[in-house]
Amino acid sequence: MAAPVVSPDEPAVSDKTDERSPAWRNVLLRVVIATGAGIMIYFSGPPRTLWWLAPLGFAVLGAVLYGRRARAGFGYTLCAGLGFTVPLLAWTGEFVGVVAWLPLSLAEALLMGLAGAGIAAVSVLPAWPVWAALIWVAGEWLRSIFPFGGFPWARIAFTQPDGVYLPLASVAGTPLIGLAVAMTGFGVTMLVRNLLVDRQPRRIVAPALAVLLPIVAAFGALPLVGTDANDGEATVAVIQGNVPRAGLDFNSQRRAVLDNHAERTEQLAQEVREGKVKQPDLVIWPENSSDIDPYRNPDAWARIDAAARAIGAPIAVGSVLLGDDGLPRNTILLWDPEQGPIEQYTKRKLQPFGETMPWRPFFRLFTSAVDRAGQFVPGDKAVSFPMGNATVGFATCYEVAFDGVVRESVEGTNLLAVPTNNATFGYTEMTYQQLAMDRVRAVEHGRAVAVAATSGVSAFVRPDGSISQSTGMFVPGALVETVPLRTTTTLSDQLGPAPEWVMVLAGLGALGVAIVVRRRGRASN
């Protein structure tokens, strides 16, 4: 039997293999593009000021997702999520290893994948950029409550402290900024598609509006961003005493940390006496500035008391107090120079993989490093401190990422303080990411923000989100500034979480309609 003759113009493989090969190449290409979109979004955030990369990242992701099935949307957005969260959250593994960093990044990316499935599904609907952006906001809401009590660190709003969208925070907080950025990006997707792919220039009006309306709205919100001192002024001192060394092990020299902050406060008092700086009305020490419980250690009490008497002003002292159960509480003490501690606030939102260790027995199977994480007990209510003529609300470190926590902390105050300890995470980008959150919160709530960090970056943030002063990292320092005190209730505070609920429900409603449309389409075929 003669062998079959193969023409040189025909592939020497089966038709089935030939059909699959280009398909897999296309899938791989889309995976690379989607991952690149996530990396673009990551690079849009601090310490960089490339805010415009975020909407461009969404435009690229939208090009991959549009017209795909939900399953494909999940997979491609999972890749984009990994491109975003793996570098963003690298600080979580700085001292406890990849057992914290990579599982947390994967969990966040998986939740982003769910949003991506919905974004792909609603591409059968008109006005897709709007519905897609609403579903993205719904995904951010889900990540703010799950897993581990929520981890909203990757909200798109926190990439935008230098962007044109920032004024929208005063209208409806971080969800509105996320909506605006995503809508702009997805609008660019449809604009390019209609012009270059489908070649239908008559259909550019709707996507052009999706691109432009969020930007126009942001500029329209500028008059709502107030900076006036409508409740007077206060001279505030922020102390950055520094730590002996970076990492979790800095706690082994906690007396040195306390001494550093006391000495820098006493040095500031000397500078005040010499007329070099103004006498502060109040002083903010960082989180963990006294990890020695002053109620149980008379020497710590004496050290803090001496510093308060030297500066002649109340100090908010970040301390760790032991409860009757023997477990620690991350606490801010109001230390009066005459009366000692008279009030306290206990941190309500604790940082997983640091102050607590979720699923500790499970993760211990992989590494003993999990036992370096703490067993802190959370507080249950917001507490403000009367300090001079200021009424100060507190969002301690990780808490500043949570919309509801900060909203409760600001109520009834005229100044927001963020005591934080970023020494645990060394020279990573964590401190800059958190400072970006402080800047967004300043605009969202119309408050000046005093940021006190053990090792940096400490700063003063104006109510418009701009930074007036800041320190370096792992250097001692003291910042003194007269800040505006404001009692204005922003539209965002008046509306509370309602706008986010509306966005989430609208996105889910659109998803429901899209599912019905797709099923009818299959049935008709």
Side-chain angles (χ1 to χ4, degrees):
M1 182 176 180
V5 177
V6 178
S7 167
D9 296 328
E10 295 176 357
V13 293
S14 69
D15 291 341
K16 187 175 181 180
T17 304
D18 183 53
E19 290 172 0
R20 287 180 178 178
S21 182
W24 278 109
R25 284 199 295 266
N26 290 338
V27 169
L28 181 60
L29 178 61
R30 288 192 287 269
V31 165
V32 172
I33 293 173
T35 305
I39 293 172
M40 290 174 67
I41 296 172
Y42 161 70
F43 275 110
S44 71
R48 296 156 297 275
T49 57
L50 306 176
W51 60 269
W52 43 271
L53 280 177
L56 289 182
F58 276 101
V60 173
L61 179 61
V64 174
L65 299 183
Y66 186 79
R68 304 287 168 200
R69 293 184 176 181
R71 182 172 58 187
F74 173 84
Y76 292 133
T77 309
L78 169 63
C79 295
L82 289 172
F84 180 26
T85 60
V86 169
L88 181 79
L89 304 178
W91 55 269
T92 62
E94 183 71 6
F95 293 100
V96 295
V98 297
V99 69
W101 169 30
L102 295 184
L104 181 60
S105 299
L106 177 60
E108 291 291 286
L110 286 168
L111 293 176
M112 291 181 187
L114 291 178
I119 290 169
V122 297
S123 60
V124 298
L125 302 179
W128 173 74
V130 177
W131 309 123
L134 287 167
I135 288 177
W136 180 265
V137 173
E140 289 198 332
W141 168 80
L142 177 61
R143 286 185 280 118
S144 73
I145 61 173
F146 177 85
F148 314 132
F151 192 81
W153 204 270
R155 276 192 183 269
I156 295 303
F158 299 145
T159 69
Q160 299 298 303
D162 295 293
V164 298
Y165 303 97
L166 182 60
L168 293 174
S170 66
V171 179
T174 59
L176 186 58
I177 296 179
L179 178 75
V181 173
M183 189 186 301
T184 298
F186 293 141
V188 170
T189 299
M190 294 308 297
L191 195 61
V192 172
R193 185 180 181 89
N194 288 342
L195 285 175
L196 301 182
V197 179
D198 299 335
R199 299 188 181 280
Q200 296 184 6
R202 294 182 179 180
R203 296 174 57 184
I204 67 170
V205 174
L209 288 174
V211 173
L212 295 175
L213 281 179
I215 298 173
V216 171
F219 280 101
L222 278 171
L224 300 178
V225 180
T227 58
D228 59 307
N230 58 31
D231 199 33
E233 294 180 333
T235 300
V236 182
V238 164
I239 302 297
Q240 178 175 306
N242 204 13
V243 299
R245 58 178 179 269
L248 289 174
D249 289 337
F250 90 90
N251 283 307
S252 64
Q253 297 190 28
R254 51 191 177 178
R255 179 53 195 258
V257 176
L258 171 56
D259 287 341
N260 286 352
H261 287 85
E263 288 169 6
R264 191 60 188 89
T265 304
E266 290 163 353
Q267 181 183 339
L268 176 63
Q270 181 61 35
E271 293 168 355
V272 170
R273 287 192 292 270
E274 293 173 356
K276 296 179 180 178
V277 295
K278 289 183 67 175
Q279 167 66 44
D281 300 310
L282 61 135
V283 180
I284 307 294
W285 280 14
E287 176 189 35
N288 302 130
S289 49
S290 176
D291 271 5
I292 306 173
D293 187 338
Y295 291 108
R296 296 171 181 260
N297 295 271
D299 57 336
W301 179 294
R303 197 72 183 92
I304 299 169
D305 201 56
R309 290 178 182 275
I311 196 63
I315 304 177
V317 179
S319 186
V320 173
L321 305 183
L322 290 178
D324 294 337
D325 54 6
L327 295 177
R329 274 77 170 162
N330 191 335
T331 304
I332 306 297
L333 295 174
L334 173 54
W335 203 286
D336 184 84
E338 301 298 329
Q339 304 176 64
I342 57 175
E343 183 60 276
Q344 67 183 51
Y345 166 67
T346 300
K347 187 176 183 180
R348 290 168 285 160
K349 275 289 184 179
L350 301 177
Q351 181 196 316
F353 305 103
E355 293 165 314
T356 63
M357 187 67 208
W359 304 347
R360 190 184 297 264
F362 170 75
F363 285 118
R364 193 183 287 120
L365 297 174
F366 304 97
T367 175
S368 61
V370 299
D371 290 321
R372 303 175 75 185
Q375 301 184 55
F376 280 75
V377 176
D380 58 4
K381 62 180 179 179
V383 178
S384 59
F385 291 177
M387 303 180 75
N389 61 330
T391 303
V392 185
F394 291 89
T396 305
C397 194
Y398 178 64
E399 291 184 319
V400 78
F402 290 83
D403 292 354
V405 172
V406 182
R407 189 180 299 118
E408 292 171 1
S409 296
V410 168
E411 186 176 354
T413 71
N414 53 23
L415 178 66
L416 178 62
V418 181
T420 182
N421 170 32
N422 301 333
T424 306
F425 305 106
Y427 287 91
T428 65
E429 293 182 356
M430 184 270 193
T431 190
Y432 298 104
Q433 294 169 7
Q434 190 181 79
L435 184 57
M437 300 175 194
D438 301 331
R439 297 175 63 186
V440 173
R441 299 307 184 192
V443 177
E444 181 179 4
H445 303 291
R447 298 292 188 271
V449 181
V451 184
T454 49
S455 57
V457 171
S458 300
F460 282 108
V461 181
R462 300 185 183 97
D464 63 2
S466 61
I467 298 173
S468 56
Q469 289 190 67
S470 63
T471 65
M473 292 182 68
F474 292 97
V475 292
L479 304 177
V480 179
E481 182 164 318
T482 300
V483 302
L485 302 177
R486 308 187 76 251
T487 56
T488 299
T489 302
T490 63
L491 182 57
S492 177
D493 284 328
Q494 294 174 39
L495 295 174
E500 184 174 39
W501 296 344
V502 171
M503 294 179 209
V504 170
L505 291 174
L508 294 178
L511 179 58
V513 172
I515 291 172
V516 171
V517 170
R518 284 177 176 266
R519 286 179 175 174
R520 288 179 177 175
R522 292 194 197 102
S524 63
N525 292 332

